[in-house]
Amino acid sequence: MKRSLLRWAQCAAASIVATAFVPVAAQTASVAEAAPAAAAAKRPKICLVLSGGGARGAAHVGVIKVLEEYRVPIHCIAGTSMGALVGGAYATGMSVPDMERINNSMSVEKLFKEKPPRQELAMRRKIDDYSNLVSPEIGTASKQATIVKGVVSGVQLETVLRELARVQGYHDFDKLPIPYRAVATDLVTGKAVVFDEGELANVMRASMSVPGAVAPAEYNGMILVDGMLTSNLPVEAARAMGADIVIAVNVGTPLLKREELNSILGVAGQMLSILTEQNVQASLAKLKPTDILISPELGDFSTGDFDNLPKITPLGEAAARQVADRLAQLSLPPAEYAALRKRQQVAMVPDLTPVDEIRFDNLTRVNPQAAQAVMETQPGQPVVQAQVDADMRRLYGTGDFEHVNYRIVGEEGKRVMAVDAVEKAWGPDYLRLGLGLSSDFSGETYFNLVAAHRMTWLNSLGAEFRTDAQLGYDNSLRMEFYQPLSIAGTFFVAPRVSVGTQRVSIYQQDNRIAEYNVSTAVGGIDLGMQFQQYGELRLGLEGGRVKAELETGPASLDPGGDTRTLGAIRARLLLDRLDNVHFPRFGWNAAATIFDNNADLGAELPYTRWAASGRLAHSFGENTVRLGVNAGGTIGNNPLPAYDQFQWGGFLQQSGYATGQLIGQNLQFGQLMFYRRIARGSLFDGAYSGLSLEIGKVGDPLVKGNPDGVLRSIGLFIGTDSILGPLYFGYGKAEDGPDSFYFYLGKPL
């Protein structure tokens, strides 16, 4: 199943490994070059035809390497899918060593990880990561069910294509250093589309849109998918370019064996392979005796083996050498070939010409001004490729679009950046679900179901109404109306209400002796400020009621059971530059909160509580070192009520102790963590093993006799950031204290 999934879901993208520069028109040959050009005119026109085949297409690079070794002139190139990408790179003057270097840098993660780098997400989307929510999101506003058009939208692929292409703009493919054609399939008509002009990166993207795997490309009014469906080995396109001799390289994937057809994906992939093989055989039948066919023996390498591209390239070399005698017959004299390659390898200069206008077409919900405010690229400024790529990722990271791309077009004497931002068909209202499960294998088990419903773009400034619910060990319902005060969204106002019940276990040493049930009902309003992708500051007023009751345990621990009135000022600062919340490899975050329950605002039990935390992560290869601190206490002389004291203990927060075993008036905690990525995955960020060294203190404990001095612990774990949330298996041991095994699915409590 793994092989069939990779073949079907990621079929065309390996060809991205060779894309590089989009050149300007080839420069006119000098008089000194006229003689070689005249001599070449008397020779047969040789066209290189490169098939699709996913990661197996890395073999094309090996074939080209041998063609250069034997000084075989290439006068035109036609390619499909991965062949369109490798062929486009070579047609624009990229060298074989550069192709091999790019091969070595490619991976499944780099090509197919759709989510933009977390540091580039809007702060409101980052905050979602602190809840146990899983993807995908469910649209709740659409009148009919909407399914995703592909496993990946292609945003990350396009980013890589633009990075490698470097130069933007529309080109006549006959004016490239080597004339070039790319083939895609019109999804509406079912016919092959042979591109002889266009924006090279977008044409390559259209040629490689595997149905069901990569979302179709919309280009020049057409809905385009992978050219493999109609012409995976485009011999006819080469003939139309005037080819006398065709060198065809076929890296298509063989059909699955009977025992491999054991899943829906396997059957679907086999159907695509059958369609592809039929048109390949038709193309092979059109080869002439003077043509050369190269079919590399690629063994078990699949279309999805993007992590093994350096191993595939030599297999193309080996296949080309098997026809060395025929290639030698096409060889040019060294001087003549050198002159030809000099003309074909044109140095590229990035086009930094400013755009006069940035335009968003076809937006019906999202305010175009708000979308442009997300971008750093502005009209009148030089267009820097890396900056525009980051702009596209940030737009995609807002969560409003299912696909984002752009074109540079000329209109009425001005240069326009047309941003093709496709709003989610299943929006604008979304539901996400999740769960949290934990156990210390000694009787303490916690289970919560969570749900978050988000209504977006309620007005032109981007207002949102959010509802978060939790059901299980703890129950809660929270609603917030988030209203930006400007297009930029720097300042906002957010009225909110929440109700909930929470159970608090009380320990004496290692024994649970009591349990509280704490009920709250709170309403408030915040005035806040967003620091772009860096953080958020809130200052608000809130009021409500809280009731803490003793469910079980001695009367001496009874918190009173009366309903208390709250009236407070709350300030919260959150800064977040982590690349991942659960297993960060780089970055930092910090948070600080002050809660002043004030008698002047109606509070019955006035007190001031503060809390702060921070994390810093840095990696060396697959190894990561992480530092963490937590602290909290009171301001003034009023103690914290029993229901709002600091609860600590458990996995990675004084490991060895039970979850929430340590309760007191103040907290100091420090942590040094080391973990190593022991495996990579395409559906998850990776698997990790690590240890945590912890030192802390919970002062003035609620239960007299509990530890109030310095505590030291060590934690060991293996874990992964799975599609259901972080998954941990761990062991903790406290110095001269308890030990425990832990299991967590979802964020540790």
Side-chain angles (χ1 to χ4, degrees), residues 654 657 668 694-698 707-712 735:
Q654 218 65 69
Y657 292 94
Q668 300 92 44
E694 303 154 8
I695 184 170
K697 177 181 179 180
V698 178
D708 61 355
V710 176
L711 305 174
R712 297 176 178 84
E735 182 184 32

Side-chain angles (χ1 to χ4, degrees), residues 59 67 106 120 155 163 180 195 198 207 229 252 261 307-308 325 366 375 394 437 464 518 586 588-589 647 660 737:
L67 294 180
M106 289 298 153
E120 298 179 0
V155 170
E163 175 188 352
Y180 166 77
F195 285 96
S207 183
L229 297 178
L261 299 173
D307 294 330
N308 291 311
D325 57 336
V366 179
M375 301 175 58
R394 280 193 292 270
L437 175 64
E464 295 184 1
V518 183
F586 296 96
W588 57 271
N589 74 350
Q647 260 191 294

Side-chain angles (χ1 to χ4, degrees), residues 121 357 404 456 686:
L121 294 178
E357 178 186 349
V404 178
T456 69

Side-chain angles (χ1 to χ4, degrees), residues 704-720:
K704 303 303 180 183
N706 278 350
D708 61 355
V710 176
L711 305 174
R712 297 176 178 84
S713 301
I714 184 172
L716 304 172
F717 65 88
I718 58 173
T720 180

Side-chain angles (χ1 to χ4, degrees), residues 32 116 131 184 288 291 418:
S131 302
K288 302 176 181 179
D291 298 328

Side-chain angles (χ1 to χ4, degrees), residues 220-268:
N220 289 347
M222 297 178 289
I223 301 176
L224 301 171
V225 295
D226 201 300
M228 71 176 183
L229 297 178
T230 51
S231 184
N232 198 46
L233 189 67
V235 174
E236 285 191 357
R239 298 291 188 208
M241 299 175 75
D244 298 309
I245 296 176
V246 168
I247 300 176
V249 187
N250 182 23
V251 296
T253 306
L255 297 177
L256 292 175
K257 299 176 181 177
R258 181 185 181 92
E259 59 270 19
E260 296 175 305
L261 299 173
N262 54 8
S263 68
I264 294 176
L265 292 177
V267 173

Side-chain angles (χ1 to χ4, degrees), residues 61-72:
V61 179
V63 171
I64 295 173
K65 184 176 182 179
V66 175
L67 294 180
E68 288 194 349
E69 180 181 331
Y70 282 85
R71 302 190 304 277
V72 177

